[in-house]
Amino acid sequence: MNKKLLRIILTVILLLGAWLIEKYAKLPLWQLLLVYLIPYLLISYDVLMEAVEGIIKRDPFDENLLMVIATVGALLIGFLPNAEPEYLEAVFVMLFFQLGELFEDYAEDKARDSITDLMDLRPDAAYIENNGNIEKVNPEDVSIGDVIIVKPGEKIPLDGVILEGTSSLNTVALTGESMPCDVSKGDDVISGSVNLSGVLRVKVSKIFSESTASKILSLVENANENKSKSESFIRRFAHVYTPIVVILALVLAFIPPFFSASYSADFSVWLHRALTFLVVSCPCALVISVPLTFFAGIGGASHKGILIKGGNYMDALSKLHTMVFDKTGTLTHGTFEVTAIHPNQINEQELLHLAAHVERYSSHPIALALREAYAKEADGCSVENVHELAGKGITATINGKQVSVGNRRMMQHLGVNIPICNYCSTHNTGTIIHIAIEGLYAGHIVIADKIKSESASSIAELKHLGIAKTVMLTGDKESVAAQVAQQTGIDSYHAELLPSDKVSYFENIISIKPKDKTIAFVGDGINDAPVLSRADVGIAMGGLGSDAAIEAADVVLMDDNPAKIATAIKLSRRTINIAKENVIFAIGIKIAVLILATIGLASMGLAIFADVGVMILAVINAMRALKA
């Protein structure tokens, strides 16, 4: 960009010198042409080369050819009888064209820099632990299972699990959220996060090319390959539009003079009008501003932790009619939590205490939830004679008492009667864990997948945005699905589905949506990948979501927050509206000035404004899409 700016400044200086020579030296036309050719060639050599290259490749019809024909004609028109030279105007056309290109370059750099700054994820190095020594290596050379050291202030270079240390991580580049998250031993960490405080020893779980940072960078870098329908239309439009304009200009230059008494006198007048017509007709504003609008929109969305893989998905997001959701990990957290404790003989903490001790050595998700709920599980109590009954539960001796923890079949196996719990049947839907002490029923604990706090408000916001229908597809049992649908405001649901069932139900939903509308699916699991691929817009949860789901999706929410779906829709609609504004503005101005040029009322200066001026204004307007 600095090189182009220098060319513009030098051209202005040379053009001022040429104008002074013209004003005071009174040179012949051909000598004056040579004087003006110096600034003209300086400012236009790249446009000239691109026009020639297009002709050689048999694809000449673009804005470069229009600019060359118009300006070369303006340079030569002074040699026609009764015609005034247009040297100054010819250089001005190219000068302002390059000025418009400079604005475009600046705007595109601004959009790209905003993404690059946000996605400054790629680590420079990894510090690997090798036989007690710390060695600096390229992250691409680190293998799965290697142990790396991450010091405060450093980026985490690869995905992994913390072996030792506690810290806070800044994940703003990944999620768009500025609140640091605390991590400690056993927690998963993802590349691209910045370690804020403690030293971490991390066991690598993914190679560099498969790491979160690499995949995000790849998504952003390749997003421009997926052109939106509007963007693709503009490209096709330019290739059809340009030859039509050239033909009309030739007609305008050569046909009207035949109907005049003095062909040679009027030819220069009509040729001037034809050249003005060509300058006005250049489709720069459309060809440049529409793709730039989508590119800026993708950058603006990434600021919010929303990765949109292409402009075509912005099109689809803006036309959504139906939203289909997976449940686990999408509307819910996807992890079991204790939601209710109902003791029968002892207090709640004692019941939870005994259950956590019995499950001390189990890796089952329910056991993990019980131990998570009882933070003092390692309190020195005696845990002996642990015995598991497959499909039923676990028994153990806790401080000399036999405690049994399991499902209803476990209690039946022990001959323990389970009292009716009216509260559970009406208020708590989930997995019920029963506890018996020395063969007597002691109470039960309800464990369930907790609904995300943002889910209900997110569904309400989607309906406010005009989403006509919300549906949930889940493999969970009917009672759980019904409760989640009711609490979140989902319109309808289908439960106890296999992955193949999800696809079948989704196909049915697609068959009844309006043809001019789109349908989105939101999911996070491996089993969601087929439906994500089938949807007009597949939206994946990028924080805890599976790699398969993220690969199959068109939009990735980096912090698993369903509220970002509404944000993505609003940003997409705003981007589309800005692109439409540019199209209407550019075409409207051009049509008006083309009519004036045809009847001889448009000067070359007005033609320059209709071309370059409109392009600059359209580019400035396109940059509004960058502001999320």
Side-chain angles (χ1 to χ4, degrees), residues 301-615:
S302 66
H303 269 289
K304 292 292 186 180
I306 303 166
L307 298 184
I308 301 176
K309 296 184 182 180
N312 52 339
Y313 304 120
M314 281 197 159
D315 264 346
L317 277 169
S318 68
K319 300 172 185 175
L320 280 177
H321 173 272
T322 303
M323 292 287 306
V324 182
F325 295 86
D326 171 48
K327 180 188 74 69
T328 306
T330 303
L331 296 172
T332 66
H333 285 284
T335 55
F336 283 113
E337 293 183 7
V338 172
T339 58
I341 303 173
H342 298 153
N344 198 48
Q345 295 178 346
I346 55 180
N347 63 43
E348 291 186 4
Q349 277 302 304
E350 182 64 17
L351 187 68
L352 183 60
H353 161 240
L354 291 173
H357 279 319
V358 171
E359 299 279 1
R360 173 177 290 184
Y361 303 110
S362 173
S363 60
H364 192 281
I366 288 176
L368 297 176
L370 289 169
R371 295 203 298 272
E372 184 74 22
Y374 187 71
K376 302 175 182 178
E377 193 270 330
D379 56 6
C381 288
S382 170
V383 181
E384 301 172 311
N385 304 320
V386 180
H387 179 63
E388 182 173 354
L389 281 73
K392 295 183 178 70
I394 299 176
T395 64
T397 303
I398 310 296
N399 294 335
K401 294 181 181 180
Q402 186 184 48
V403 182
S404 302
V405 178
N407 54 25
R408 181 176 291 272
R409 285 184 295 167
M410 178 71 155
M411 297 299 108
Q412 290 171 349
H413 174 77
L414 297 173
V416 176
N417 292 323
I418 302 174
I420 296 173
C421 178
N422 294 325
Y423 188 87
C424 280
S425 61
T426 56
H427 293 83
N428 292 101
T429 302
T431 301
I432 298 177
I433 305 302
H434 301 280
I435 298 96
I437 303 174
E438 297 289 352
L440 295 176
Y441 191 77
H444 56 263
I445 298 172
V446 181
I447 294 177
D449 185 5
K450 193 174 181 181
I451 297 173
K452 292 180 180 178
S453 59
E454 310 92 352
S455 293
S457 59
S458 300
I459 300 299
E461 178 67 10
L462 289 172
K463 291 180 178 179
H464 177 71
L465 289 173
I467 303 302
K469 190 175 183 180
T470 54
V471 183
M472 182 175 69
L473 303 179
T474 178
D476 213 334
K477 58 187 179 182
E478 176 77 19
S479 59
V480 175
Q483 186 182 44
V484 172
Q486 184 205 2
Q487 292 183 5
T488 58
I490 292 280
D491 295 328
S492 61
Y493 68 90
H494 303 281
E496 301 180 23
L497 303 178
L498 296 173
S500 57
D501 297 329
K502 282 189 177 184
V503 176
S504 299
Y505 274 97
F506 193 75
E507 291 288 352
N508 292 335
I509 297 169
I510 290 176
S511 66
I512 60 175
K513 75 173 178 67
K515 289 185 178 179
D516 59 338
K517 297 292 184 179
T518 57
I519 183 170
F521 180 82
V522 190
D524 76 314
I526 294 174
N527 62 330
D528 295 326
V531 195
L532 285 166
S533 299
R534 180 64 185 87
D536 295 319
V537 185
I539 303 175
M541 298 293 172
L544 296 175
S546 73
D547 290 347
I550 294 171
E551 289 290 338
D554 310 309
V555 179
V556 181
L557 309 180
M558 291 310 301
D559 62 355
D560 289 351
N561 186 349
K564 293 289 181 70
I565 300 169
T567 304
I569 293 171
K570 287 186 278 189
L571 287 173
S572 295
R573 289 178 179 176
R574 183 168 179 263
T575 300
I576 296 295
N577 287 336
I578 291 173
K580 288 179 179 177
E581 288 169 5
N582 281 340
V583 171
I584 293 170
F585 173 68
I587 291 178
I589 294 293
K590 283 192 180 296
I591 290 175
V593 180
L594 282 173
I595 293 172
L596 293 175
T598 303
I599 60 178
L601 296 179
S603 65
M604 189 64 78
L606 184 60
I608 292 170
F609 168 76
D611 174 33
V612 182
V614 168
M615 179 180 68

Side-chain angles (χ1 to χ4, degrees), residues 6-20 39 95:
L6 180 62
R7 283 172 58 202
I8 290 173
I9 294 171
L10 287 174
T11 300
V12 170
I13 295 171
L14 291 171
L15 187 60
L16 178 62
W19 176 76
L20 291 172
L95 182 64

Side-chain angles (χ1 to χ4, degrees), residues 232-295:
S232 300
F233 166 75
I234 292 300
R235 294 292 178 182
R236 295 195 303 270
F237 166 80
H239 280 80
V240 174
Y241 169 83
T242 304
I244 292 174
V245 165
V246 171
I247 292 169
L248 288 176
L250 291 172
V251 170
L252 191 63
F254 292 101
I255 300 303
F258 276 112
F259 299 96
S260 171
S262 175
Y263 180 89
S264 59
D266 286 343
F267 175 68
S268 61
V269 173
W270 285 100
L271 180 59
H272 186 274
R273 292 182 184 181
L275 294 173
T276 305
F277 183 92
L278 282 174
V279 173
V280 174
S281 62
C282 185
C284 300
L286 292 178
V287 172
I288 291 171
S289 68
V290 173
L292 184 62
T293 302
F294 284 99
F295 186 71

